[in-house]
Amino acid sequence: MDNDDATVGRILSRREALASLAKAGVALVVGGGVSRLAGAAQQGAKASVHLVASPQLTEGPFFVDEKLRRSDLIAGSTRPTVAQGLPLALSFAVYRLTGTEYKPLKDAHVDVWHADVAGVYSDESNPMNHENTEHQNWLRGYQVTDANGLVRFQTIFPGWYPGRSPHIHFKVRTFSAAESVTAEFTSQVFLRDKDADQIYSIEPYVSRTSRQTTNETDGVYSERQYDGSMAGSHMLLDLAKNQSGPGFSTQFAIALTAANMLSGGRRPRRDPGGPPPGGGK
């Protein structure tokens, strides 16, 4: 498997999360085996969002610090495997544990990057990427969290590549006045298998061969946490149909703690190993 990310750090157990949230006066609503944050700042939206103290995953070999501040990650690309992808409105709500309270993290930079429909990343000459995409920057960008800890992106659903189930990388960073990184958190979110199966049954995704890896057979998703749970089970997206057009929308809340927010600069990358990402049939 393409072990481009391995779990580090730890997550809060459900009991710890409940205890911390109770002290902060925040209620958790549980459904479908996933903890959700009720009443999170969503600028009027009524749907709940996830709340987990998130397992950190290494960034893998395909992070490029493009410094592209934009919410539209498609950004006028004419590449068919970008422009024809199924739209996804992706929002993150970022919280940090301060004392005994989770508070929205303002002015944090949140980078997002992921593969296109064919399972290929932009701006990579690495042979592992299966295609040289240097000087292209589709499906990459960052936003800065507002007073409610929110950022929003317009993107597409990623395609699969060998050894990995579909996933989206993200990185949260805080900066000093001198623009040095003061803290960093890197991880991934995943699609539920049933949602991936539905999306991959339509064009342009269906023109590829069937995906080879489910969540539970993905070596990153299935990394065991100290409580025995799989890391990816805490990082699943719940989808809602877009009301104003095709595709779906989703929100995901990230709860940062001293245990998973690294101080200082970037963490060294690990040797990814495994087979390269694949594109096409």
Side-chain angles (χ1 to χ4, degrees), residues 97-114:
L97 187 62
T98 304
T100 58
E101 295 183 345
Y102 279 105
K103 296 181 179 180
L105 180 59
K106 184 176 182 289
D107 294 329
H109 290 211
V110 180
D111 278 274
V112 168
W113 71 101
H114 62 83

Side-chain angles (χ1 to χ4, degrees), residues 58-67 111-113 121-124 140-142 169-171 173 184 186 266 269:
T58 54
E59 68 188 25
F62 301 121
F63 174 68
V64 182
D65 201 358
E66 303 275 6
K67 297 181 173 61
D111 278 274
V112 168
W113 71 101
Y121 290 84
S122 68
D123 205 5
E124 285 291 345
R140 296 182 183 273
Y142 82 91
H169 297 265
F170 67 92
K171 180 188 293 288
R173 290 183 288 183
E184 180 173 314
T186 307
R266 286 173 54 189
R269 295 183 180 184

Side-chain angles (χ1 to χ4, degrees), residues 81 84 117 200-210 280-281:
T81 51
Q84 297 174 13
V117 170
Y200 291 168
S201 70
I202 63 175
E203 290 291 353
Y205 303 89
V206 73
S207 60
R208 300 184 64 201
T209 56
S210 299
K281 296 181 180 180

Side-chain angles (χ1 to χ4, degrees), residues 127-140:
M128 290 182 62
N129 196 42
H130 195 74
E131 177 184 342
N132 188 333
T133 57
E134 272 190 306
H135 310 304
Q136 303 174 46
N137 56 30
W138 32 266
L139 305 182
R140 296 182 183 273

Side-chain angles (χ1 to χ4, degrees), residues 63-84:
F63 174 68
V64 182
D65 201 358
E66 303 275 6
K67 297 181 173 61
L68 288 171
R69 185 173 181 175
R70 61 184 184 184
S71 59
D72 184 358
L73 304 187
I74 301 167
S77 174
T78 58
R79 180 181 171 92
T81 51
V82 175
Q84 297 174 13

